């Protein structure tokens, strides 16, 4: 398996029988940050999945898709894995004590924490990225250093019990790597075959290195104010945690 | 753009202003057949999306994820695109007059019909595959001939106003191709960059040709009875439509 760091800690299953996996969802997230890893991890043998949010009210993703949680954070059991989505709505949670505590407690317990896209910034706000290898969406990648992370330009990164993936669709790749850690490579390969995950995009425009200048410029034109808002958050966190930006 | 057939018919937008895209969902479908294309197509400029089902009651996908429709088939407006998911629940709809009529009417209108995975079998049951190029999930691929299709082993196939993709995650690739047809290649490339869709699976096990024998055998062990049930449906349709299987 190709990964940055294979020193993952294999933790005991929380209930001894099933893997218990929680997916944190929130308004204005990017839905496939959640549904991509769900597709992979829900196929693990002997797994139970929980869709978790601050309340059990349905939320809409950034493009309006209704996502329905079935458990509150307060009711969440011990989780073998917590999956943290990203997307623009992540910015509204950067000071949310309940969400940040959930993330920090998961990480501190030694069980797996998996961030997708800018879910990594929530992990940063929770204070766990300092000195840790991490990645995130390419457009937010330069913010990781404000949270003290050792930022890597990888599709996904495994550093101990923290796994992070790059933007949006990278959650599928990271989830397959995590599936192998949890249940072995053979299981992960069976899941890949079942999902017919043999990607063949019709274009080669998935990173700023590969996309044309015109395409990248158009991205930034639309990204606009979100870039400033995320930078402002990052600067505040760097100051709060005494992280020096070079 | 790499595609099998680029003779796609560009149809007029239904309301002259926005692209109107409907996603048909149903119980026990595979959720990413829907959420993958939604992720791509909801990013088109000037688009409105409708999540459509037989009723507006939430449904669960095959792994229990709650999906919430917001419109009934009966209330569905004219659609520029109808996206038809697959997954095991598709078998329960193979004789559903309302669903098959929705699919057939969409196709007959000349507007786009896009099937993902075994959504192609629903299109077959609706009688539109005869003489048409199509693909589906690799494990159901040999059933396409029972519906009279010219089956192609491609990630996605464009034949006039009918687009089909291979299994599950192939819906993302097919949706990008469809995005280019609807709004031009530059828009599709911007969406790909935004989604950071530069896939790098940690394993190379996404098709039966690439997977090991052990992995393929394990797939079939789990697929079991579904294979027989789908074959039985296919044989009935072949007989009903007078299609001779060679």
């Amino acid at each position: 398996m190709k990964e940055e760091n294979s020193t993952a800690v294999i933790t005991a299953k929380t209930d001894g029988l099933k893997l218990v996996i929680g997916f944190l969802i929130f308004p204005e997230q990017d839905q496939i940050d959640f549904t991509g890893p769900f597709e992979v991890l829900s196929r693990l043998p002997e797994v139970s999945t929980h869709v978790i949010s601050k309340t059990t009210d349905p939320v809409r993703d950034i493009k309006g898709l209704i996502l329905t949680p079935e458990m509150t954070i307060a009711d969440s059991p011990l989780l073998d894995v917590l999956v943290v989505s990203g997307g623009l709505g992540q910015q509204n949670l950067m000071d949310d004590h309940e969400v940040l505590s959930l993330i920090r407690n998961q990480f501190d317990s030694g069980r797996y924490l998996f961030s997708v896209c800018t879910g990594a910034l929530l992990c940063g706000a929770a204070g766990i990225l300092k000195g840790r290898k991490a990645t995130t969406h390419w457009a937010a990648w330069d913010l990781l250093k404000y949270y003290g992370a050792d930022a890597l330009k990888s599709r996904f990164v495994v550093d101990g019990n923290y796994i992070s993936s790059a933007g949006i669709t990278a959650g599928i790749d990271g989830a397959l790597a995590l599936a192998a850690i949890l249940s072995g490579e053979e299981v992960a390969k069976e899941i890949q075959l079942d999902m017919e995950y043999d990607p063949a995009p019709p274009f080669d425009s998935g990173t700023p290195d590969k996309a044309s200048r015109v395409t990248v410029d158009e991205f930034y034109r639309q990204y606009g104010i979100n870039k400033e808002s995320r930078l402002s958050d990052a600067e505040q966190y760097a100051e709060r945690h005494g992280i020096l930006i070079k």
Side-chain angles (χ1 to χ4, degrees), chain A:
Chain A
M1 187 170 68
K2 298 170 284 181
E3 58 183 55
E4 286 302 321
N5 184 327
S6 58
T7 60
V9 182
I10 304 294
T11 52
K13 295 183 185 184
T14 49
D15 72 357
L17 286 172
K18 283 195 169 187
L19 276 167
V20 182
I21 302 185
F23 298 83
L24 176 68
I25 67 169
F26 49 85
E28 295 183 67
Q29 73 163 87
D30 201 303
Q31 58 91 9
I32 213 167
D33 291 15
F34 154 50
T35 55
F38 184 91
E39 187 74 17
V40 175
L41 299 174
S42 67
R43 284 176 155 76
L44 288 170
E46 298 298 316
V47 71
S48 70
T49 57
H50 300 295
V51 183
I52 299 169
S53 194
K54 286 177 68 71
T55 73
T56 52
D57 294 339
V59 300
R60 282 188 191 270
D61 103 312
I62 191 73
K63 295 297 183 184
L65 187 72
I66 296 175
L67 303 172
T68 304
E70 297 197 75
M71 186 179 278
T72 63
I73 291 175
D75 288 338
S76 170
L78 281 181
L79 300 169
D80 294 296
V81 181
L82 172 65
V83 182
V84 179
S85 297
L88 292 178
Q90 145 268 321
Q91 289 174 261
N92 300 324
L93 300 175
M94 292 293 280
D95 267 318
D96 188 295
H97 177 73
E98 189 181 27
V99 165
L100 300 187
S101 293
L102 175 74
I103 293 172
R104 191 159 38 235
N105 290 341
Q106 178 73 19
F107 178 75
D108 288 348
S109 75
R111 301 186 312 279
Y112 290 104
L113 174 64
F114 174 33
S115 69
V116 180
C117 196
T118 57
L121 304 182
L122 286 173
C123 296
I128 65 147
L129 292 194
K130 209 167 172 176
R132 199 152 287 275
K133 294 183 179 73
T135 196
T136 186
H137 191 283
W138 64 266
W141 188 85
D142 59 354
L143 301 179
L144 289 174
K145 62 177 181 286
Y146 291 82
Y147 300 94
D150 177 8
L152 296 180
K153 286 198 169 157
S154 297
R155 191 73 178 157
F156 60 86
V157 175
V158 181
D159 185 351
N161 63 325
Y162 175 54
I163 297 98
S164 54
S165 75
I168 307 184
T169 53
I172 300 172
D173 296 322
L176 278 170
L178 180 55
I181 292 169
L182 295 166
S183 301
E185 286 205 5
E186 178 52 30
V187 167
K189 288 175 179 173
E190 283 160 24
I191 291 171
Q192 185 181 8
L193 178 62
D194 189 21
M195 290 171 58
E196 200 165 345
Y197 187 48
D198 182 41
F203 310 106
D204 191 18
S205 183
T207 68
D209 296 339
K210 295 177 176 177
S212 74
R213 184 60 195 249
V214 168
T215 306
V216 175
D217 287 350
E218 178 58 22
F219 173 88
Y220 278 118
R221 195 186 64 75
Q222 292 184 35
Y223 189 46
I225 195 166
N226 301 300
K227 185 177 165 69
E228 291 161 39
S229 161
R230 280 188 166 137
L231 177 59
S232 164
D233 279 345
E235 286 170 342
Q236 283 178 45
Y237 273 96
E239 195 174 327
R240 205 183 297 181
H241 296 156
I243 290 164
L244 210 63
I245 305 304
K246 287 162 272 190

